[in-house]
């Protein structure tokens, strides 16, 4: 296989920790493998290592300030021209600023503006790494699609042994290669994704719904967009913000999702249905708020259209992936849905207890054909989105398609 690093344009951020010197060796490795490396350093990083070191190794200018070449708007240009942004080392402070959206220097501003894969290799004292504030910031960034090469346990600069040592260069290179391998894999493809819950009102202030947050759909939309696809996200009511750079069609009810899917999803190269669509809606919707009478009340429900089954009937050459939210007999039920809805693959999602809806993590198993099966494991939804698309792209390439 061709070396994905060769010819790649790497934005290499260096923040201020003792491991900054290891970024110099990494720069040299990347250059030797044929990458072009633009190094951006924070002011603190300059205390540990001189820009001249990176300039010599990369044979390119090193950027240390928003104001060095302001006419070139470096914080935008550098990340537009790069294939991937890698930060080695990423300090606790940098991670906290990124999680908060602070952009008070060139590195943080550029990373905030980046629409390319962002891979961070944290390095810091073990207590700082394990502090709940750092862990919460890492979880926030993971949820937003940042990738990490986790630090290792070992000898730290403080002469202690603990977690927080920068990952070995080989592991950083693997993280970089993974991000680069995916970068253009969906170029020219149109991807439609349904996500979030639906709301089925029975008066102006009350509705039936479920606990879906749309996090899986948002993670998939971000990942597909990073891979170069033109993405349309059909999204039910959620407080989560969809990523920039994709088309978002907001819907509230299952019927609206059905209409939006017919308009925007039919004909897409890949359709992924993650929406937790309410299967029923109140048969009657009152125009005014229903007042209590002290009596019980009965709400009659009518069935909603099955969006995915309809897409299955009209799938043409689309590759159609469903989700199955199950609490028991997971794979048997999911295989039945795979057949019934004419899907090419289905991701089984265990929604018992803490798992599934509304949490940062999930576990998925992908099923296809008669007996195709891949366990995608348990991970943050952003990581699972990448694994799911890797598997689906493989199936699309080998033409594993149901009729
Ligand atoms: N789905 C849909 N429209 C519906 C119901 C479900 O598009 N009205 C899609 C979901 O987005 C998911 C798949 O169908 O991709 C399976 O959803 P799930 O809720 O697991 O199953 P249901 O089809 O609703 O079947 P059941 O209620 O029997 O589990």
């Amino acid at each position: 296989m061709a070396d994905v690093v060769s010819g790649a344009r790497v934005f290499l951020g260096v923040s201020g920790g003792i491991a900054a010197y290891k970024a110099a060796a990494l720069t040299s490795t990347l250059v030797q493998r044929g990458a072009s490396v633009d190094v951006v350093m924070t002011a603190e990083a300059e205390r540990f290592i001189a820009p001249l070191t990176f300039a010599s190794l990369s044979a390119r200018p090193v950027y240390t300030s928003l104001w060095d070449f302001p006419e070139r708007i470096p914080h935008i240009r550098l990340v537009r021209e790069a294939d991937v942004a890698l930060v080695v080392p990423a300090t606790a402070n940098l991670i906290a600023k990124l999680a908060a959206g602070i952009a008070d220097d060139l590195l943080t501003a550029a990373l905030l503006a980046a629409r390319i894969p962002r891979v961070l290799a944290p390095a810091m004292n073990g207590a700082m790494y394990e502090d709940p504030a750092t862990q919460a910031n890492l979880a926030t960034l993971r949820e937003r699609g940042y990738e990490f090469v986790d630090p290792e346990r070992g000898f730290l600069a403080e002469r202690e042994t603990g977690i927080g040592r920068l990952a070995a260069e080989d592991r950083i290179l693997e993280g970089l290669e993974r991000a680069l391998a995916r970068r253009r894999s969906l170029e020219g493809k149109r991807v439609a994704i349904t996500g979030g819950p639906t709301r089925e009102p029975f008066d102006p202030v009350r509705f039936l719904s479920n606990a879906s947050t749309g996090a899986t759909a948002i993670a998939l939309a971000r990942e597909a967009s990073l891979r170069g696809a033109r993405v349309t996200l059909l999204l039910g009511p959620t407080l989560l913000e969809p990523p920039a750079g994709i088309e978002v069609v907001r819907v509230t009810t299952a019927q609206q999702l059905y209409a939006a899917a017919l308009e925007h999803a039919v004909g897409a190269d890949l359709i992924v249905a993650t929406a937790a669509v309410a299967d029923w809606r109140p048969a009657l919707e009152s125009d005014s708020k229903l007042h209590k009478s002290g009596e019980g009340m009965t709400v009659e429900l009518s069935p909603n259209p099955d969006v995915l089954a309809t897409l299955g009937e009209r799938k043409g050459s689309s590759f159609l992936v469903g989700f199955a939210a199950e609490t028991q007999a997971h794979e048997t039920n999911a295989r039945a849905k795979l057949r019934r809805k004419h899907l090419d693959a289905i991701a089984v999602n265990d929604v018992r207890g803490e798992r599934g809806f509304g949490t940062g993590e999930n576990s998925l198993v992908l099923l296809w054909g008669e007996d195709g099966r891949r366990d995608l494991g348990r991970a943050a939804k952003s990581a699972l989105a990448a694994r799911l698309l890797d598997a689906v792209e493989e199936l699309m390439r080998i033409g594993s398609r149901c009729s």
Side-chain angles (χ1 to χ4, degrees):
M1 203 170 87
D3 180 6
V4 286
V5 174
S6 174
R9 301 203 54 164
V10 179
F11 171 106
L12 177 61
V14 183
S15 63
I18 182 62
Y21 76 93
K22 296 183 180 169
L26 178 69
T27 304
S28 172
T29 305
L30 292 174
V31 168
Q32 287 175 52
R33 284 180 59 178
S36 96
V37 185
D38 279 317
V39 177
V40 172
M41 301 176 72
T42 63
E44 292 74 22
E46 283 187 77
R47 290 178 177 266
F48 289 92
I49 186 165
L52 178 62
T53 306
F54 290 106
S56 308
L57 291 168
S58 68
R60 298 178 67 81
V62 168
Y63 299 81
T64 55
S65 158
L66 273 166
W67 317 114
D68 281 347
F69 308 96
E71 72 289 354
R72 296 198 217 155
I73 320 182
H75 65 293
I76 305 296
R77 189 179 57 79
L78 285 169
V79 284
R80 288 269 157 83
E81 291 175 354
D83 298 308
V84 64
L86 176 66
V87 182
V88 181
T91 59
N93 184 46
L94 181 84
I95 288 164
K97 288 207 281 187
L98 294 177
I102 293 171
D104 63 352
D105 63 9
L106 178 57
L107 182 55
T108 49
L111 290 170
L112 190 63
R115 301 259 173 87
I116 49 179
R118 294 172 288 198
V119 184
L120 305 187
M124 65 196 75
N125 168 269
M128 292 171 81
Y129 184 69
E130 284 172 344
D131 189 90
T134 304
Q135 289 300 316
N137 290 332
L138 289 168
T140 300
L141 293 179
R142 261 200 187 97
E143 192 65 10
R144 293 185 190 150
Y146 277 81
E147 293 161 53
F148 289 88
V149 184
D150 291 333
E152 294 171 359
R153 192 165 286 281
F155 186 69
L156 304 173
E158 306 78 319
R159 288 164 178 69
E160 297 169 1
T161 298
I163 181 94
R165 199 177 138 98
L166 184 73
E169 187 175 289
D170 281 355
R171 289 194 41 237
I172 297 176
L173 288 168
E174 277 165 29
L176 181 74
E177 285 163 1
R178 262 197 307 277
L180 282 169
R182 307 195 314 259
R183 78 193 134 146
R184 294 276 150 241
S185 56
L186 287 173
E187 185 91 74
K189 301 267 190 254
R190 203 160 77 71
V191 175
I193 299 167
T194 73
T198 64
R199 282 183 187 171
E200 312 298 330
F202 56 96
D203 80 5
V205 294
R206 301 185 182 93
F207 53 81
L208 299 177
S209 190
N210 58 64
S212 166
T213 60
T216 296
I218 288 173
L220 279 165
R222 182 184 288 113
E223 183 63 33
S225 165
L226 281 177
R227 294 174 184 220
R230 190 150 63 80
V231 181
T232 306
L233 175 60
L234 311 179
L235 188 61
T238 170
L239 294 175
L240 296 183
E241 272 304 310
I246 64 168
E247 183 190 13
V248 182
V249 180
R250 289 282 191 170
V251 298
T252 303
T253 65
Q255 285 175 301
Q256 288 168 1
L257 179 62
Y258 182 78
L262 291 185
E263 189 179 340
H264 298 279
V266 172
D269 298 288
L270 169 63
I271 303 172
V272 188
T274 77
V277 186
D279 291 319
W280 299 275
R281 65 177 181 278
L284 294 175
E285 183 187 344
S286 167
D287 291 340
S288 53
K289 185 182 168 193
L290 299 172
H291 291 287
K292 62 179 173 295
S293 62
E295 303 286 310
M297 94 175 235
T298 304
V299 179
E300 194 187 327
L301 301 176
S302 306
N304 267 330
D306 191 316
V307 180
L308 184 56
T310 308
L311 291 172
E313 283 158 18
R314 307 183 186 192
K315 69 193 279 232
S317 60
S318 302
F319 194 93
L320 192 54
V321 182
F323 267 63
E326 302 292 348
T327 53
Q328 57 185 0
H330 306 77
E331 297 192 17
T332 314
N333 288 342
R335 281 213 188 267
K337 286 177 194 175
L338 178 75
R339 282 189 295 273
R340 191 171 73 235
K341 302 195 188 194
H342 304 286
L343 310 180
D344 297 296
I346 192 158
V348 196
N349 188 349
D350 184 345
V351 288
R352 277 174 305 175
E354 291 291 287
R355 280 180 271 198
F357 285 161
T359 58
E361 281 208 338
N362 202 357
S363 52
L364 289 179
V365 175
L366 189 70
L367 307 176
W368 66 91
E370 274 307 305
D371 53 8
R373 180 181 193 279
R374 185 180 299 179
D375 189 343
L376 302 178
R378 177 173 183 77
K381 287 181 176 171
S382 54
L384 275 180
R387 290 182 204 168
L388 180 68
L389 286 184
D390 285 346
V392 165
E393 283 183 40
E394 227 175 274
L395 293 177
M396 289 170 83
R397 268 196 302 276
I398 60 176
S400 166
R401 194 177 283 278
C402 107
S403 52

